Amino acid sequence: MVLRKQTLLLPAPVSPRVVTVVARAASAMACRRGALVVLEGVDRTGKTTQSRRLVEALKASGHLAELLRFPDRTTEIGRLISSYLENKSNLEDHTVHLLFSANRWEQVPLIKEKLNQGITLVVDRYAFSGVAFTSAKENFSLDWCKQPDVGLPKPDLILFLQLSTLEAAKRGDFGNERYENSSFQEKVLQNYHHLIKDKTLNWKTIDASKSIEELHNEIKSFTEEAMQEVQNKPIGALWK
Ligand code: NYM
Ligand code: MG
């Protein structure tokens, strides 16, 4: 009789893959928050391709993962930025810098909520793009450019896709958007080189001249490592 009862309570046979998925989701719900993973680099280094592939791969191996990108052109602030980038409108340089930052701040409640739900967020550009691009303009110091983003959720990992501007240019013509020319991109690259010296952040430099597949594998393994390290650590504050 007892045996029979036990037999009835046994769940239907499940594949090891389902067990893994359920176990991971349960552990996420129990304690571990998601990791905040950022991809940075000049234009044409493959950030968008790699962020998408990373999210797909994480999901396929049973993790909770979502993609975000900045600028987020879908919000009201994002539309102002988009029109500026497309040269359809002009904005004063400080003003547009602050709009890019505001476009990140408006997503902060959502970012925190998702991380706390155990969702790993893969972010295509973040505050480092803000600083690297604006400080490539005349009379903008790195320090001034960082201030509006001080206190944003701190990334657990920043993947810097490194490629010379010459190599980047070989990947095809730049688009018609603002900033898309080699001399500006060169200044942006130099600014990134200053930013990656910051040892309070977990920067990993990746050679973006590698194949899409090689790059993906490297990025995935750095991400999985960062996801392990997150454990019960609270979400940090950037540049604080
Ligand atoms: N950009 C992006 C900035 O100038 N400041 C920022 O804060 C961010 C997030 O926008 N050339 C620039 C970098 C890019 C441009 O980005 C649009 P994308 O990834 O091409 O949509
Ligand atoms: Mg672009």
Side-chain angles (χ1 to χ4, degrees), residues 40-43 47-48 69-73 81 84-85 96-97 99-101 103-104 124-134 137 149 177-180 184-185 188 192:
E40 284 283 1
V42 297
D43 284 327
K47 294 180 299 301
T48 305
R69 73 176 303 172
F70 291 111
D72 172 354
R73 302 188 192 216
I81 294 172
Y84 170 81
L85 288 171
V96 73
H97 182 74
L99 287 177
F100 272 112
S101 176
N103 185 238
R104 285 182 281 278
D124 183 356
R125 296 189 187 278
Y126 199 52
F128 315 97
S129 283
V131 176
F133 278 78
T134 303
K137 296 178 175 177
D149 287 305
E177 288 207 330
R178 227 179 263 262
Y179 309 148
E180 293 184 339
F184 194 83
Q185 298 279 325
V188 173
Y192 273 121

Side-chain angles (χ1 to χ4, degrees), residues 69-176:
R69 73 176 303 172
F70 291 111
D72 172 354
R73 302 188 192 216
T74 66
T75 69
E76 274 178 64
I77 294 171
R79 282 189 282 280
L80 292 174
I81 294 172
S82 190
S83 144
Y84 170 81
L85 288 171
E86 291 169 14
N87 289 305
K88 290 180 181 157
S89 65
N90 277 319
L91 289 166
E92 191 277 330
D93 289 329
H94 300 78
T95 310
V96 73
H97 182 74
L98 297 174
L99 287 177
F100 272 112
S101 176
N103 185 238
R104 285 182 281 278
W105 280 106
E106 62 182 340
Q107 300 302 329
V108 167
L110 189 85
I111 291 176
K112 290 189 170 167
E113 193 185 309
K114 301 233 178 212
L115 293 176
N116 288 325
Q117 286 170 348
I119 303 170
T120 285
L121 295 176
V122 175
V123 191
D124 183 356
R125 296 189 187 278
Y126 199 52
F128 315 97
S129 283
V131 176
F133 278 78
T134 303
S135 62
K137 296 178 175 177
E138 292 292 311
N139 299 320
F140 281 88
S141 68
L142 280 180
D143 197 48
W144 186 89
C145 291
K146 281 159 87 170
Q147 296 315 309
D149 287 305
V150 170
L152 277 181
K154 180 179 177 175
D156 299 294
L157 170 66
I158 314 159
L159 297 154
F160 178 58
L161 274 62
Q162 170 137 287
L163 195 67
S164 70
T165 47
L166 208 72
E167 283 294 314
K170 280 190 205 154
R171 295 187 170 185
D173 289 335
F174 282 117
N176 295 318

